[in-house]
Amino acid sequence: MSYQIWKLLKHESKDILRNPATVILIILPIFMAKIIITVVDKSGLDFMLLSTWILFAQVMVGIMITGPGLIEERESKTYDALLITPLSRGQIITAKAGSVLVFSLLSQLIVYVLNQGLTMDLLPSLLYMLLGGIIFVQVGIIIGLKVSSSKNGSAISSAFMVVFFLVASVYGALPEWTYPIFVILPSIEIVQNLNSILNGEGVLLLESLLLLLWIVVLSLWIWKTGKA
C-alpha cells in the first residue's frame, strides 16, 4: 500500500470517528446483538442467531456509512478535489473502502466476542466477516457512485440494508425448496457459512464460491462505474 493511500485511509478513519452518526452506526449492531441474544438465551427461543447479528454489523456499517458518505462527498465536491491529487480514482476508492472495512470488522469482532467469547471458531469465522465486510462496502460504494442525491442515497442504502438483513433473518422459516433461490444472496451465503462453522460443521464450498463471485462481480461493476 502506497504512502498516499495510507495517509488518505487514516484521514477517512478520523472523519468517521468525528461524525457521531457514523459512530452510532458502528456501535448499534454491538448493542443490539448483545441485548437481543441475551434475551433470546434466557427465554429459550431459537431465532436471531449470532451469525445474523454479525451480518447486521456488516450491512449496517458497510452500506450505511459508505453509500451516503460517498454521496455527500460528491455533493460537497470533496470527492472531486481528491481526483485532482496524484491519487488515482482506484486508490481513492480503495482508501475510502478500506477505512469503512476496518470499522466493519471491528464491530463484527466485538459482536462475536461479547456473545461467543474467544473460541477456536473465531479464526474461520473471521474469514467470512472479512468477505461479508468487503461485499457490503462494495454495495455501499456502488450506491455512492450511482445515486445523485444524499436524500435518495440514504433511502436506497436503508432499503438494501433491510432487504439483506430481513431475508437472512426469516429464510429459515421458509420451505426448503426456496433455498436455491435465496442462496444467491450474499447475506444468506454468509449466515449459512457462519452457522456451519459455529455448529462445528466447517465451511460450505458452494456458498463460499458464490461469495467470491460476488466480490469479483461487484469489483468489476465499481471499476466500470468509476470510469463512467
Side-chain angles (χ1 to χ4, degrees):
M1 183 183 295
S2 69
Y3 174 74
Q4 290 88 349
I5 297 178
W6 174 248
K7 188 175 180 180
L8 180 56
L9 193 151
K10 286 174 63 178
H11 174 75
E12 293 292 327
S13 299
K14 289 178 181 178
D15 281 349
I16 288 173
L17 291 176
R18 289 193 193 105
N19 189 335
T22 56
V23 172
I24 289 172
L25 290 176
I26 295 167
I27 296 174
L28 186 60
I30 300 168
F31 177 77
M32 290 182 64
K34 183 59 181 175
I35 296 298
I36 295 178
I37 290 178
T38 299
V39 171
V40 167
D41 288 341
K42 289 184 178 179
S43 64
L45 300 175
D46 186 21
F47 68 99
M48 303 300 277
L49 301 174
L50 175 59
S51 58
T52 310
W53 289 107
I54 292 174
L55 172 71
F56 184 60
Q58 291 177 359
V59 296
M60 174 70 81
V61 177
I63 296 177
M64 294 303 296
I65 293 180
T66 311
L70 188 52
I71 294 169
E72 288 178 7
E73 289 194 5
R74 286 171 53 211
E75 288 181 328
S76 64
K77 305 301 182 182
T78 305
Y79 183 72
D80 292 340
L82 287 172
L83 291 176
I84 62 175
T85 67
L87 289 169
S88 68
R89 191 183 304 271
Q91 289 174 320
I92 293 169
I93 291 176
T94 298
K96 290 182 177 297
S99 61
V100 178
L101 181 60
V102 168
F103 290 105
S104 173
L105 287 173
L106 178 62
S107 183
Q108 294 177 67
L109 281 169
I110 295 175
V111 168
Y112 182 98
V113 172
L114 282 179
N115 293 283
Q116 195 78 3
L118 293 172
T119 67
M120 294 299 295
D121 292 329
L122 177 58
L123 190 58
S125 297
L126 186 60
L127 171 62
Y128 292 94
M129 293 181 194
L130 176 62
L131 292 177
I134 291 172
I135 287 172
F136 294 114
V137 168
Q138 287 179 315
V139 171
I141 289 172
I142 291 170
I143 293 171
L145 292 175
K146 298 287 285 186
V147 180
S148 58
S149 70
S150 55
K151 182 179 180 180
N152 291 337
S154 296
I156 292 172
S157 297
S158 299
F160 272 95
M161 185 200 74
V162 170
V163 168
F164 282 127
F165 178 65
L166 186 61
V167 171
S169 302
V170 303
Y171 81 97
L174 299 175
E176 289 187 11
W177 63 265
T178 63
Y179 181 72
I181 300 172
F182 287 106
V183 75
I184 297 172
L185 295 175
S187 51
I188 303 299
E189 296 152 13
I190 291 161
V191 167
Q192 282 291 95
N193 270 293
L194 288 172
N195 283 339
S196 183
I197 291 169
L198 295 173
N199 290 331
E201 299 170 0
V203 301
L204 304 173
L205 180 59
L206 174 62
E207 287 79 356
S208 299
L209 291 175
L210 287 172
L211 283 173
L212 295 175
L213 180 61
W214 268 103
I215 291 175
V216 172
V217 170
L218 291 172
S219 296
L220 291 173
W221 193 354
I222 291 170
W223 175 77
K224 183 178 180 181
T225 302
K227 285 189 67 177

